[in-house]
RNA sequence: GCGAGCGUGGCGGAAUUGGCAGACGCGCAAGAUUUAGGAUCUUGUAUCCUACGGAUAUGGAGGUUCGACUCCUCUCGCUCGCACCA
């Protein structure tokens, strides 16, 4: 059983007891206990106000210097304020920022507020307080907390996503999406006006399927006169033209299945639906198609995937994004419906198993289901569809351990062998992936196998595994084999390997116009609208005649109106829908319309904030390209791994649009990414209010100071690791800082200690200094902050013992420690006789020669076991080392008179004698 | 189920990437100082044994090597992602 140390007891009392008496007596105790320690409180306040007044950390676009952009993931200003996890990443980035400044870089190190979000809106629903007021209050508190940690942010570049001067430009970027299309032939986004011009000039025609066909395309040229299978722009009606253009936009409206809760009158996110009912209230939730805004991220899938190669990110994050994008190649194959003029298109990654397709499955939502279902089966099909609609996406995946489905009564014809196979519907096929329909090959797909077993459908083997035991099982239909093998039961394709078969069958399908090579992505277009009040309104008006217009850039920002109630409208629309003054608009030309009442999701503001920092106060544009070009890409981005996919993918996506349109000059925004790990409570559990193990940064700063807080956050362990908090650990680094202080400042006189003199340092001291400079520098470069601190502890332990301390050594040490503990170092720097801040002092240089020991202790092993240690000079030759090692009595004894077969000498490490 | 990562003293963690395992800090113990407590300083602190010596130790079992925390194979445990994507 571990004794609870005093510091821990105090912390527990402070957090758990609001009793005035105990609280104040503890405060008194603290003041007394800390009396003879350095006055971190005064020092920290002093330097924070100097930095603020002097704008010490103002970022300057100085072309004569190399630049360095260190970015933190900006926080959501919550009512709870900071938790100890925030300062971890912020301290790491601050150390790097301060270090780079001293290394001569022009540094951009900004902070801001990701301030739209549900909590402020929910608080508004409860209390009627405007979310803007709540948000402002929370920002003020969090800013106070962040400032109290002494981070070297350029506060003049602060951004707040809820500030109209900021979201004006978020809306502006939305208009860029809305007014752009994606040119597949060049794999990039372009202004939609250009497309219209090209169509009007008849450089492009409109294909039958609404696709875009270049006039000089093959096939068109061959035919003289009017193009066949394509229409000129002028041949389309105004409505057709509008529809065509709308279909090309990168921001578009679509009917999308959402989680609709009739009882609550609102749409819910997947996380808000548990077991088919709403998390709040337990009301039924159904899948219902609703009009939503979408962003066409899928057009960028290929580039989002390919460009991951160029960023220096943790491989795990790259892999998450790769999987999320989920690119797979295969074939699309058309199956004719028996006796009807319809066909079903399926996507498969295994076209080589076509001969083994024994049935087909459509997603319940597939448009063909109603058309092909026979009268006998219609009833069953309808009720199954209804059942499926009631399940949320989560249920359909999570709870579907047992497969369900219904036969439609219809049959399809397998294009490779003309066999008729039954068509089923089942919710294991997702409407949102591929074509929403599959060919089922139960012998070679686990899911199809489970389904076929349950409904006693045919299983035909078409791939032969090498392993004979497996082969027997698969042949008997007792096992599903989904790996590659050799083709069987596949007509003239028998004997081919899976890879060969895929190539040949795809070619065959294309030759016979029954299919083609196809690529599919798991990534889906981004559902970009929310039915909320506290978000950026869409700058869009829906006119009575069905036309939809976007506001002009000059009309931005579009500011949401004040509302009486923040509750949802009850119609699936946002609270904005109830404000008729705001919603109903009349255009200058007299036409009437309604404003879009959806708002953008919280992700929107965070998609481009790093760009705004480069030119935060620009009123004419989101940012000047010259500034962007100077600062971007972000050299170091530090934040939590929870944003591995969504935020980091969404902002890359926005960045690529801006890149295509020429607003930014680099294809990727974030060069290097580092994830800080999670900090657990003192009990090793996740911090949570209910467990009562939450550590409040304010409390730590009050008791130990910001420098100790920063130092401890870094000393805990590797930045990326998950690790538990320990108040005793804070005490440890606090002691270290006190030791540094006492080594330099005489406690009695409060003046520079008399042991500090302008003298030459002895060789040991020089060596340790240079080792420290070397280690701290390289550790900052590799984010090994914990080992950097441990080296500085070794330094101070050495220096504290010296009777006379060379001033220059002390000064260099103060500079090296300063990125970690800036306040105390500024103070010491001043007291060492310097004017002004040390923030731009030159970083000390180490001399590699001076880091080396003159005498080296070597371990001497016999057969790998250490028998003795010898001391040799650093210049000793291999022969001299061997001679000395073999002369050792202990070694001679261990060798038992045998002669060495081999002697291995690792310079400055060890000697191993093999006998 | 799939994928990734991690297992080192009482605790957080080091280990120049195959070369003296346990740096540094916490905790603990003894001592100094002190009226006392706190603070500070000094020393010790992986485990075991027949103890100024020796043996065993990096979740476990094998392997490669003169030499393995580090590389390989198997295995156990924990954590975090993803989860019918055809």
């Amino acid at each position: 059983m571990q004794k609870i140390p005093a510091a821990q007891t105090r912390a527990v009392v402070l957090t758990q007891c609001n009793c005035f008496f105990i609280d104040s007596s503890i405060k008194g105790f603290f003041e007394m206990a800390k009396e003879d320690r350095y006055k971190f409180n005064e020092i920290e306040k002093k330097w924070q106000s100097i930095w603020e007044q002097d704008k010490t950390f103002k970022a300057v676009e100085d072309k004569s210097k190399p630049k360095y952009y260190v970015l933190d993931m900006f926080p959501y200003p919550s009512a709870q304020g900071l938790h100890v996890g925030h300062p971890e990443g912020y301290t790491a980035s601050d150390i790097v920022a301060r270090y780079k400044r001293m290394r001569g870089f022009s540094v951009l190190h900004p902070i801001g507020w990701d301030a739209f979000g549900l909590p402020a809106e929910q608080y508004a629903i409860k209390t009627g307080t405007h979310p803007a007021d709540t948000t402002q209050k929370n920002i003020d508190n969090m800013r106070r907390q962040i400032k109290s940690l002494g981070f070297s942010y350029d506060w003049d570049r602060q951004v707040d996503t809820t500030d109209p001067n900021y979201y004006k430009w978020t809306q502006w970027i939305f208009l860029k999406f809305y007014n752009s299309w994606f040119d597949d032939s060049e794999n990039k986004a372009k202004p939609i006006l250009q497309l219209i011009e090209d169509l009007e000039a008849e450089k492009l025609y409109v294909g039958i399927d609404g696709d875009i066909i270049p006039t000089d395309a093959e096939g068109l040229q061959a035919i003289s006169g009017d193009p066949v299978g394509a229409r000129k722009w002028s041949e389309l009606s105004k409505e057709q033209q509008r529809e065509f253009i709308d279909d090309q936009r990168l921001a578009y409206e679509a009917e999308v299945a959402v989680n609709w809760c009739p009882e609550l009158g609102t749409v819910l996110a997947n996380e808000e639906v548990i077991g088919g009912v709403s998390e709040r209230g337990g009301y039924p939730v159904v899948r219902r198609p609703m009009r939503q805004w979408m962003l066409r991220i899928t057009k960028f899938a290929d580039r989002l995937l390919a460009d991951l190669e160029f960023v220096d990110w943790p491989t795990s994050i790259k892999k998450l994004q790769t999987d999320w994008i989920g690119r797979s190649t295969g074939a699309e194959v058309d199956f004719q419906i028996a006796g009807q003029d319809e066909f079903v298109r399926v996507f498969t990654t295994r076209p080589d198993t076509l001969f083994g397709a024994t049935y087909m499955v459509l997603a319940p939502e597939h448009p063909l289901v109603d058309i092909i279902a026979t009268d006998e089966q219609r009833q069953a099909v309808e009720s199954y569809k209804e059942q499926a609609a009631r399940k949320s996406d989560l249920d359909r995946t999570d709870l579907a351990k047992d497969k369900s489905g219904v036969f439609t009564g219809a049959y399809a014809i397998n294009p490779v062998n003309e066999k008729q196979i039954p068509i089923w519907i089942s919710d294991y096929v997702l409407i949102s992936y591929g074509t929403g329909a599959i060919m089922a090959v139960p012998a070679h797909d686990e899911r199809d196998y489970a389904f076929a077993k349950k409904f006693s459908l045919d299983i035909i083997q078409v791939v032969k595994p090498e392993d004979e035991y497996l082969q027997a099982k698969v042949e008997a239909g007792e096992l599903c084999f989904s790996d590659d093998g050799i083709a069987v039961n596949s007509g003239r394709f028998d004997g081919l390997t899976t890879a060969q078969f895929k190539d040949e069958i795809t070619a065959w399908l294309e030759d016979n116009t029954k299919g083609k090579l196809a690529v599919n992505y798991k990534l889906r277009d981004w559902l970009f609208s929310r039915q909320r009040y506290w978000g950026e309104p869409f700058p869009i008006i829906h006119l009575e005649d069905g036309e939809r217009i976007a506001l002009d850039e000059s009309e931005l920002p579009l500011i949401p109106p004040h509302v009486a109630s923040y509750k949802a409208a009850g119609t699936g629309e946002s609270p904005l829908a109830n404000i008729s003054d705001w919603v109903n608009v009349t255009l200058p030309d007299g036409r009437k319309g309604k404003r879009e009442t959806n708002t953008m999701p919280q992700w929107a503001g965070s998609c481009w904030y790093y760009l705004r920092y480069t030119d935060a106060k620009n009123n004419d544009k989101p940012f000047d390209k010259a500034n962007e070009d100077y600062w971007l890409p972000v050299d170091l981005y530090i934040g939590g791994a929870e944003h591995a996919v969504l935020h980091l993918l969404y902002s890359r996506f926005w960045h690529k649009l801006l890149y295509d349109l020429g607003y930014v000059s680099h294809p990727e925004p974030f060069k290097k990414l580092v994830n800080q790990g999670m900090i657990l409570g003192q009990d090793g559990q996740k911090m949570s209010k209910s467990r009562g193990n939450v550590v409040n940064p304010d409390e730590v700063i009050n008791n130990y100071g910001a420098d100790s807080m920063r130092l401890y956050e870094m000393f805990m362990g590797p930045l990326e690791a998950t690790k538990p908090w320990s108040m005793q650990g804070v005490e440890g680094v606090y002691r270290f800082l006190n030791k540094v202080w006492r080594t330099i400042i005489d406690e009695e006189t409060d003046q520079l200690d008399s042991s500090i003199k302008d003298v030459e340092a002895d060789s040991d001291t020089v060596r340790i200094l240079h080792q420290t400079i070397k280690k701290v520098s390289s550790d900052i470069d590799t984010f090994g902050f914990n080992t950097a601190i441990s080296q500085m502890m070794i330094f101070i332990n050495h220096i504290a013992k010296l009777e006379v301390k060379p001033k220059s050594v002390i000064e260099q040490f103060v500079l090296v420690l300063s990125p970690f503990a800036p306040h105390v170092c500024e103070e010491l720097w001043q007291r060492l006789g310097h004017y002004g801040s040390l923030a731009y002092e030159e970083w000390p240089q180490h001399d590699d020669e001076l880091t080396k020991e003159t005498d080296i202790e070597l371990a001497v092993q016999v057969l790998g076991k250490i028998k003795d240690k010898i001391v040799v000079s650093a210049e000793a030759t291999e022969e001299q080392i061997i001679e000395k090692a073999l002369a050792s009595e202990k070694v001679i004894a261990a060798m038992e008179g045998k002669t060495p077969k081999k002697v291995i000498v690792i310079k400055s490490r060890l000697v191993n004698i093999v006998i």
Side-chain angles (χ1 to χ4, degrees):
Chain A
M1 190 64 191
Q2 221 184 332
K3 247 175 73 185
I4 299 174
Q8 203 173 328
T9 326
R10 288 199 297 270
V12 170
V13 172
L14 277 174
T15 51
Q16 290 185 346
C17 181
N18 292 322
C19 168
F20 176 73
F21 174 73
I22 293 183
D23 193 42
S24 61
S25 73
I26 284 172
K27 267 188 191 144
F29 172 73
F30 258 115
E31 273 149 28
M32 201 168 58
K34 300 288 154 67
E35 208 171 76
D36 46 357
R37 309 273 195 110
Y38 86 100
K39 298 192 175 72
F40 57 82
N41 218 336
E42 279 172 30
I43 293 168
E44 289 175 2
K45 281 212 184 80
K46 169 183 164 183
W47 285 98
Q48 281 166 16
S49 75
I50 290 174
W51 295 333
E52 179 141 13
Q53 277 168 24
D54 295 354
K55 294 192 188 295
T56 307
F57 305 115
K58 189 179 174 57
V60 183
E61 288 81 18
D62 180 349
K63 297 232 163 62
S64 69
K65 284 181 172 182
K67 67 89 186 178
Y68 199 85
Y69 186 174
V70 203
L71 180 66
D72 289 304
M73 287 187 185
F74 65 165
Y76 172 73
S78 74
Q80 289 79 40
L82 287 185
H83 54 79
V84 290
H86 285 117
E88 190 191 13
Y90 297 169
T91 303
S93 63
D94 197 56
I95 289 167
V96 174
R98 287 174 180 272
Y99 170 70
K100 290 287 178 184
R101 272 187 212 103
M102 295 173 83
R103 277 256 140 128
F105 287 81
S106 191
V107 170
L108 175 57
H109 188 38
I111 190 74
W113 315 101
D114 188 13
F116 278 122
L118 208 47
E121 182 161 347
Q122 277 168 338
Y123 186 70
I125 292 171
K126 256 195 279 176
T127 65
T129 315
H130 195 286
D133 297 339
T134 313
T135 302
Q136 198 48 55
K137 215 181 90 202
N138 292 346
I139 288 177
D140 288 345
N141 181 46
M142 215 136 153
R143 188 192 293 115
R144 173 193 65 74
Q145 289 186 301
I146 287 179
K147 283 195 172 176
S148 75
L149 278 154
F151 296 131
S152 61
Y153 294 125
D154 177 353
W155 286 99
D156 289 342
R157 293 182 187 245
Q158 237 181 124
V159 304
D160 166 1
T161 56
T162 64
D163 180 346
N165 290 321
Y166 180 85
Y167 69 70
K168 170 182 180 175
W169 302 112
T170 310
Q171 291 171 330
W172 181 89
I173 297 172
F174 171 80
L175 289 179
K176 294 294 160 203
F177 276 102
Y178 184 75
N179 289 319
S180 299
W181 69 294
F182 198 86
D183 186 342
D184 290 318
S185 65
E186 289 181 38
N187 202 16
K188 66 179 277 195
K190 292 178 176 177
I192 206 143
L193 281 175
Q194 203 180 310
L195 172 64
I196 296 172
E197 272 172 28
D198 286 352
L199 286 160
E200 281 171 350
E202 298 185 0
K203 286 185 196 158
L204 300 172
Y205 290 141
V206 175
I208 300 170
D209 300 333
D211 47 334
I212 297 165
I213 299 173
T215 323
D216 55 5
E218 244 181 278
L220 287 180
Q221 248 176 357
I223 299 154
S224 56
D226 290 339
V228 175
R231 289 166 297 170
K232 291 179 181 172
W233 185 242
S234 55
E235 290 168 354
L236 271 61
S237 71
K238 274 268 170 283
E239 281 69 32
Q240 284 174 322
Q241 287 183 350
R242 202 157 72 201
E243 201 179 307
F244 174 80
I245 289 299
D246 282 350
D247 282 348
Q248 298 296 325
R249 296 181 189 277
L250 295 182
Y252 64 100
E253 287 185 278
E255 293 284 317
V256 185
V258 293
N259 299 309
W260 168 248
C261 177
E263 208 64 41
L264 293 173
T266 185
V267 167
L268 300 174
N270 275 343
E271 308 85 76
E272 295 169 318
V273 184
I274 294 166
V277 298
S278 64
E279 187 188 13
R280 286 171 167 241
Y283 304 114
V285 174
V286 294
R287 304 278 298 168
R288 180 182 126 174
M290 280 182 60
R291 184 189 62 84
Q292 300 285 329
W293 280 94
M294 308 291 288
L295 294 187
R296 227 179 273 281
I297 191 172
T298 49
K299 286 286 186 190
F300 292 79
D302 248 344
R303 282 162 60 193
L304 288 170
L305 187 65
D307 290 355
L308 280 175
E309 198 191 314
F310 305 113
V311 295
D312 180 10
W313 290 13
T315 45
S316 61
I317 302 280
K318 285 193 190 185
K319 191 169 180 306
L320 278 174
Q321 291 219 348
T322 304
D323 290 350
W324 187 265
I325 295 166
R327 183 181 201 272
S328 54
T329 41
E332 279 180 359
V333 187
D334 290 339
F335 283 65
Q336 175 86 35
I337 311 278
Q340 293 192 46
D341 203 16
E342 301 281 353
F343 65 87
V344 190
R345 178 166 292 178
V346 302
F347 172 72
T348 176
T349 54
R350 293 294 300 269
D352 62 297
T353 60
L354 257 165
F355 287 85
T358 54
Y359 65 102
M360 295 188 84
V361 187
L362 307 187
E365 300 88 350
H366 197 285
L368 273 180
V369 171
D370 289 335
I371 300 168
I372 62 169
T374 57
D375 292 340
E376 303 87 72
Q377 291 299 105
R378 189 163 296 275
Q379 183 77 45
V381 166
E382 281 306 315
S383 82
Y384 186 81
K385 277 177 66 177
E386 219 173 279
Q387 233 182 356
R390 229 176 286 134
K391 291 188 190 173
S392 73
D393 258 356
L394 270 178
D395 289 332
R396 278 175 65 158
T397 54
D398 209 38
L399 300 177
K401 280 161 195 144
D402 204 21
K403 298 261 183 293
S404 65
V406 171
F407 178 44
T408 61
Y411 289 83
I413 297 162
N414 188 337
V416 292
N417 56 12
E418 307 296 320
K419 264 195 194 163
Q420 293 211 358
I421 56 176
I423 304 174
W424 287 62
I425 62 170
S426 171
D427 60 10
Y428 86 88
V429 174
L430 308 174
I431 188 66
S432 47
Y433 182 78
T435 60
I438 61 153
M439 63 173 204
V441 186
H444 307 290
D445 182 287
E446 295 287 350
R447 298 150 301 182
D448 298 343
Y449 182 79
F451 192 84
K453 277 285 176 192
K454 170 146 186 193
F455 295 103
S456 307
L457 295 157
D458 290 347
I459 300 173
I460 298 172
Q461 181 189 19
V462 290
V463 183
K464 192 176 162 190
E466 240 175 83
D467 186 285
E468 278 181 31
Y469 174 78
L470 277 180
Q471 163 58 14
K473 286 278 194 191
V474 176
E475 195 170 21
E478 287 164 17
L479 199 74
C480 166
F481 176 75
S482 52
D483 287 341
D484 289 5
I486 303 296
V488 291
N489 298 325
S490 298
R492 62 189 183 82
F493 297 98
D494 280 357
L496 291 180
T497 65
T498 299
Q500 292 169 331
F501 198 162
K502 278 183 184 173
D503 288 345
E504 294 205 8
I505 192 77
T506 307
W508 182 88
L509 287 166
E510 276 184 36
D511 290 346
N512 292 276
T513 61
K514 300 203 170 178
K516 60 173 189 227
L517 192 76
V519 177
N520 251 297
Y521 299 91
K522 279 201 237 177
L523 184 70
R524 295 167 203 172
D525 277 344
W526 178 10
L527 200 160
F528 193 65
S529 45
R530 300 290 184 273
Q531 296 71 46
R532 302 253 147 82
Y533 172 78
W534 194 228
E536 300 89 346
F538 285 83
I540 294 286
I541 295 169
H542 302 273
L543 296 177
E544 282 177 339
D545 62 6
E547 193 184 347
R548 186 186 50 211
I549 61 164
L551 298 190
D552 188 77
E553 287 172 17
S554 63
E555 297 172 273
L556 300 179
L558 173 62
I559 299 174
H562 278 266
V563 296
S565 165
Y566 297 92
K567 285 204 178 83
T571 53
E573 294 171 281
S574 80
L576 295 175
N578 294 333
I579 314 302
S580 51
D581 283 1
W582 185 81
V583 170
N584 295 304
V585 287
T586 307
L587 299 187
D589 62 12
R591 288 188 295 170
K592 288 184 174 168
K594 284 180 185 297
R595 289 192 194 280
E596 172 63 53
T597 60
N598 281 308
T599 54
M600 299 182 200
Q602 197 185 350
W603 304 110
S606 61
C607 274
W608 72 284
Y609 73 111
Y610 60 93
L611 288 167
R612 183 65 178 172
Y613 284 142
T614 66
D615 196 9
K617 289 183 172 159
N618 199 324
N619 285 322
D620 305 322
K621 29 186 157 172
F623 51 88
D624 194 276
K625 195 172 176 183
N627 283 29
E628 179 277 331
D629 194 27
Y630 180 77
W631 291 116
L632 267 279
V634 172
D635 296 281
L636 175 64
Y637 194 15
I638 299 186
E642 67 272 22
H643 294 117
V645 177
L646 298 180
H647 162 62
L648 287 169
L649 194 66
Y650 292 156
S651 40
R652 292 179 62 220
F653 164 45
W654 280 41
H655 197 88
K656 289 195 184 302
L657 174 84
L658 295 173
Y659 179 73
D660 287 352
L661 299 181
Y663 294 103
V664 299
S665 36
H666 306 84
E668 282 289 328
F670 314 120
K671 196 154 77 184
K672 183 170 177 67
L673 175 75
V674 175
N675 293 122
Q676 88 261 18
M678 209 196 326
I679 295 183
L680 305 172
Q682 305 225 49
D683 52 2
Q685 302 282 105
K686 228 180 198 164
M687 281 193 199
S688 75
K689 262 198 216 155
S690 58
R691 284 202 189 89
N693 61 354
V694 176
V695 176
N696 180 352
D698 284 343
E699 186 192 314
V700 180
I701 293 167
N702 285 337
N703 294 344
Y704 302 98
D707 285 332
S708 294
M709 172 82 182
R710 295 168 57 112
L711 215 49
Y712 177 64
E713 292 257 7
M714 295 299 98
F715 189 58
M716 290 173 82
L719 185 61
E720 303 89 333
T722 302
K723 50 218 174 261
W725 187 266
S726 155
M727 280 298 176
Q728 291 168 355
V730 184
E731 285 263 3
V733 295
Y734 179 57
R735 267 178 232 166
F736 163 67
L737 286 182
N738 273 291
K739 192 164 187 176
V740 171
W741 182 263
R742 273 198 319 274
T743 303
I744 302 173
I745 304 296
D746 186 321
E747 286 177 275
E748 299 297 317
T749 63
D750 200 35
Q751 299 295 310
L752 212 58
D753 197 275
S754 55
S755 66
I756 297 177
K757 296 196 172 121
D758 273 317
V759 292
E760 289 274 302
D762 64 274
S763 64
D764 276 357
T765 303
V766 167
R767 194 181 60 248
I768 292 180
L769 173 71
H770 282 259
Q771 284 173 341
T772 302
I773 297 169
K774 182 181 182 179
K775 178 113 181 93
V776 173
S777 308
S778 69
D779 280 353
I780 292 176
D781 286 332
T782 56
F783 308 99
F785 304 109
N786 52 336
T787 48
I789 294 167
S790 110
Q791 179 62 39
M792 290 190 280
M793 287 171 168
I794 291 169
F795 173 88
I796 206 70
N797 287 344
H798 168 81
I799 214 86
K801 285 177 196 156
L802 297 182
E803 303 233 329
V804 176
K805 295 153 192 156
K807 193 173 175 198
S808 71
V809 171
I810 296 286
E811 287 182 328
Q812 292 185 71
F813 172 72
V814 167
L815 291 177
V816 164
L817 175 62
S818 70
F820 296 79
H823 308 86
V824 68
C825 288
E826 288 272 26
E827 183 67 20
L828 290 170
W829 186 247
Q830 193 180 54
R831 286 171 180 239
L832 281 160
H834 301 278
Y835 292 103
S837 171
L838 53 60
Y840 294 90
E841 288 296 323
E842 200 182 321
W843 185 258
Q845 294 287 316
H846 77 271
D847 179 342
D848 231 8
E849 281 308 310
L850 297 177
T851 64
K852 290 176 183 159
E853 316 263 345
T854 45
D855 290 324
I856 300 166
E857 194 188 53
L858 296 181
V860 183
Q861 300 179 328
V862 176
L863 286 174
K865 304 250 182 210
I866 293 162
K867 294 297 170 189
D868 198 9
K869 295 191 176 177
I870 56 170
V871 176
V872 298
S873 104
E875 286 94 47
T877 62
E878 208 159 290
E879 286 73 28
Q880 289 169 323
I881 292 170
I882 292 172
E883 192 184 338
K884 187 147 191 186
L886 290 173
S888 155
E889 279 178 35
K890 287 175 186 167
V891 171
I892 290 165
M895 282 169 61
E896 295 165 337
K898 292 175 189 158
T899 45
K901 275 188 201 150
K902 195 173 163 192
V903 181
I904 294 151
V905 178
I906 306 296
K907 269 260 164 122
S908 79
R909 295 269 156 220
L910 55 68
V911 179
N912 189 10
I913 300 162
V914 185
I915 52 171

